[in-house]
Amino acid sequence: MEKKKKGFTLIETLVAISLLVVSVAAPMSLAVRSLSSAFYARDQVTAFHLAQEAIESIRIVRDGNALRAVKGVSVDLLAGIPSTDGTAFTVDTRNNAMEICDPEGCDPLYNNGEFYGHEEGSGWEVTRFTRTVTANEIDESGDEIKVSVEVRWRSGTFQERAFTISENLYRWVGSGS
């Protein structure tokens, strides 16, 4: 009488390996998607803050001019804003410096580990974010402008993302005496 050999057949082994691969691949795929979503959310929050920061800088310039007008200085409330005709410009929020962009596009933002700005040099590294600001007069009186800020960044190798925020600013006091 011949003894039966006990062990796994080739088919049983292949089925076991297939189940193992599926049970490991599914969580790994989920982890990769979760990390990708977390990086996108981080970049989107950064883009939102960069856009809001630019609008606040323009508001500071307008309000500073309004304070001078209230003191009797003849000043245009929009003085210091480089364009109100839709021409793109940059805002460096560290000092409220604003410059018209090149026709090819605005320069990317730099970061020193703490601040974003348009300063190149020691300790400043180029980021993946580009902030473009436009201001358009809404009516002929010039009493209202629409400020739009678009922040663009590259996510991954080829995918470009964008976030845009807009706000209307008003001439809420006279331009001076």
Side-chain angles (χ1 to χ4, degrees):
M1 213 163 172
E2 203 173 304
K3 275 188 167 181
K4 286 189 173 182
K5 292 184 182 179
K6 294 201 176 200
F8 291 110
T9 65
L10 182 59
I11 294 175
E12 289 173 329
T13 304
L14 287 175
V15 168
I17 290 174
S18 298
L19 288 173
L20 183 63
V21 166
V22 167
S23 67
V24 169
M28 292 299 284
S29 174
L30 183 62
V32 167
R33 283 190 188 188
S34 296
L35 281 173
S36 176
S37 295
F39 287 138
Y40 174 66
R42 178 202 61 194
D43 289 346
Q44 194 173 26
V45 167
T46 301
F48 171 78
H49 286 291
L50 289 171
Q52 187 63 40
E53 184 180 58
I55 287 179
E56 294 299 328
S57 284
I58 292 172
R59 182 180 287 126
I60 287 169
V61 168
R62 186 226 28 207
D63 292 351
N65 290 335
L67 288 174
R68 285 191 283 287
V70 167
K71 290 181 179 181
V73 177
S74 181
V75 63
D76 178 11
L77 288 184
L78 303 179
I81 300 172
S83 170
T84 57
D85 64 2
T87 303
F89 59 94
T90 61
V91 175
D92 192 332
T93 57
R94 296 171 305 130
N95 56 9
N96 297 330
M98 300 178 199
E99 293 183 15
I100 300 287
C101 294
D102 291 334
E104 295 140 15
C106 295
D107 293 333
L109 288 166
Y110 287 77
N111 184 277
N112 68 352
E114 188 174 353
F115 298 108
Y116 285 87
H118 286 283
E119 183 168 328
E120 299 177 38
S122 179
W124 288 88
E125 294 182 16
V126 68
T127 67
R128 67 176 140 241
F129 296 99
T130 302
R131 178 170 53 200
T132 305
V133 183
T134 58
N136 294 296
E137 291 184 3
I138 301 271
D139 56 12
E140 289 115 29
S141 69
D143 287 340
E144 180 181 2
I145 63 169
K146 179 178 183 178
V147 178
S148 296
V149 181
E150 180 183 63
V151 177
R152 292 187 157 287
W153 71 98
R154 191 163 298 286
S155 176
T157 308
F158 298 107
Q159 195 167 22
E160 187 169 273
R161 308 269 188 179
F163 177 83
T164 303
I165 189 171
S166 298
E167 187 168 323
N168 290 7
L169 298 179
Y170 302 91
R171 291 181 194 263
W172 47 278
V173 296
S175 290
S177 53

